[in-house]
């Protein structure tokens, strides 16, 4: 039985994104928020990014200015490796069920992270398209951004450019440097067309991998924490190293494995895997 209506499917295909208000139930949301709060408390004891992912990079990324009295934990790489609650949420949520209406019956997990903007956080995300970080044989990939907190216009919401998923792929390399962001001139143009994705805790935004997006800093007294999981059609094969490796990468979440590959026509420069804890340092020019 379909999860989405025909109108919702048409809206996603037209705009490249779709909001779902009840992707996570209150019972699912509670342990996710409690676990993140524990990680935030733990971060008070650290001055530099810490922990370790499967490829040896730091799992917990701290914003410049982080301190015990005002923690600024801004990213946790692949949290499902260290939390059964986040693993369950990656596998079981209404948004994943909706993906079968958009990508087909067979759905595969690629990677995930938590991006957070705690009160007073200065981190902004420059405009980019996720596909340039995660090229596959075809572009049937969807980023699911699950709202752990209420997202408002004041606490740094996702800003998307409707319809941009049908347009060009904008390079993230400039003058031989992988900046993780599109050209400033293009960014200034598309900034006039953005839509803010706001909603209650438990909501989710389904975003096409080619959709242009970014976000501003958190100007409020309320946190904005997102659990972000990327899924693909089963016959989309990755063409570059996973930016956040996981034991669960490639896991079939819905349907079955076909052992087939489907290719679409496009051209792009391969991404650079960040040496540091997260892509925020790439966008800040620190590699």
């Amino acid at each position: 039985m379909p999860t989405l209506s025909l109108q919702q499917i048409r809206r996603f295909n037209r705009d490249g994104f779709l909001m779902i208000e009840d992707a996570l139930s209150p019972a699912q949301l509670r342990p996710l928020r409690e676990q993140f709060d524990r990680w935030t408390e733990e971060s008070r004891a650290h001055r530099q990014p810490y922990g370790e992912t499967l490829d040896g990079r730091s799992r917990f990324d701290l914003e410049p200015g982080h301190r015990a009295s005002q923690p600024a934990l801004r990213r946790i790489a692949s949290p499902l490796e260290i939390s059964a609650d986040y693993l369950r949420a990656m596998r079981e949520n209404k948004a994943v069920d909706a993906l079968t209406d958009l990508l087909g019956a067979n759905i595969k997990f690629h990677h995930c992270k938590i991006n957070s903007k705690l009160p007073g956080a200065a981190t902004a995300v420059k405009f980019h398209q996720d596909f340039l970080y995660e090229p596959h044989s075809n572009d049937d990939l969807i980023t699911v951004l699950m709202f752990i907190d209420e997202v408002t216009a004041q606490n740094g919401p996702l800003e998307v450019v409707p319809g941009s998923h049908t347009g060009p792929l904008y390079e993230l390399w400039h003058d031989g440097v992988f900046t993780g962001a599109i050209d400033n001139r293009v960014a200034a143009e598309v900034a006039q067309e953005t839509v803010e994705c706001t909603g209650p805790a438990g909501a989710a935004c389904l975003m096409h991998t080619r959709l242009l997006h970014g976000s501003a800093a958190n100007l409020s007294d309320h946190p904005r924490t997102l659990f972000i999981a990327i899924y693909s059609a089963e016959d989309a094969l990755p063409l570059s190293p996973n930016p956040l490796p996981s034991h669960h990468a490639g896991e079939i979440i819905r349907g079955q494995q076909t052992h087939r590959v489907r290719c679409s026509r496009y051209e792009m420069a391969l991404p650079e895997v960040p040496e540091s804890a997260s892509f925020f340092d790439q966008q800040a020019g620190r590699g």
Side-chain angles (χ1 to χ4, degrees), residues 74 122 200 251:
R74 66 179 175 182
E251 179 178 323

Side-chain angles (χ1 to χ4, degrees), residues 58-275:
S58 299
R59 187 180 300 277
F60 297 89
D61 184 33
L62 306 175
E63 181 177 304
H66 165 89
R67 57 189 184 276
S69 60
Q70 187 173 354
L73 177 62
R74 66 179 175 182
R75 169 168 283 194
I76 302 173
S78 198
L80 50 70
E81 299 290 335
I82 55 175
S83 169
D85 292 318
Y86 277 90
L87 177 58
R88 280 191 293 269
M90 181 277 287
R91 290 171 171 164
E92 299 295 335
N93 62 76
K94 184 178 177 181
V96 172
D97 295 330
L99 295 187
T100 62
D101 297 330
L102 300 173
L103 299 179
N106 305 316
I107 305 295
K108 183 170 57 179
F109 169 70
H110 189 242
H111 73 271
C112 70
K113 61 258 190 177
I114 297 171
N115 281 0
S116 184
K117 296 178 182 178
L118 295 176
T123 293
V125 177
K126 298 177 183 178
F127 282 103
H128 65 283
Q129 296 159 297
D130 286 351
F131 195 62
L132 279 295
Y133 284 93
E134 54 200 26
H136 279 61
S137 61
N138 65 68
D139 60 9
D140 275 351
L141 282 81
I142 291 178
T143 302
V144 176
L145 303 100
M146 292 169 258
F147 294 7
I148 305 303
D149 303 307
E150 179 184 14
V151 178
T152 69
Q154 290 73 41
N155 65 0
L158 173 72
E159 299 174 16
V160 300
V161 182
S164 57
H165 64 302
T166 63
L169 291 171
Y170 294 97
E171 293 289 349
L172 305 181
W173 290 87
H174 303 291
D175 297 324
V177 177
F178 187 77
T179 68
I182 65 174
D183 179 82
N184 289 335
R185 177 185 58 80
V186 178
E189 293 174 359
V190 301
Q192 309 305 313
E193 307 169 24
T194 59
V195 171
E196 294 180 340
C197 298
T198 59
C205 177
L206 279 60
M207 184 177 71
H208 193 283
T209 188
R210 292 176 64 132
L211 193 73
L212 278 167
H213 64 284
S215 66
N218 183 354
L219 302 178
S220 77
D221 295 327
H222 304 286
R224 192 234 62 177
T225 303
L226 306 178
F227 176 41
I228 304 173
I230 291 80
Y231 305 88
S232 75
E234 182 271 339
D235 58 4
L237 269 62
L239 301 179
S240 67
N242 195 315
L244 295 174
S246 166
H247 290 300
H248 299 281
E251 179 178 323
I252 304 300
I253 304 301
R254 297 289 185 275
Q256 61 184 358
Q257 190 163 22
T258 66
H259 299 287
R260 297 184 65 83
V261 59
R262 178 167 49 89
C263 300
S264 57
R265 188 181 185 88
Y266 69 90
E267 182 179 345
M268 59 168 281
L270 291 173
E272 176 183 74
V273 177
E275 296 180 0

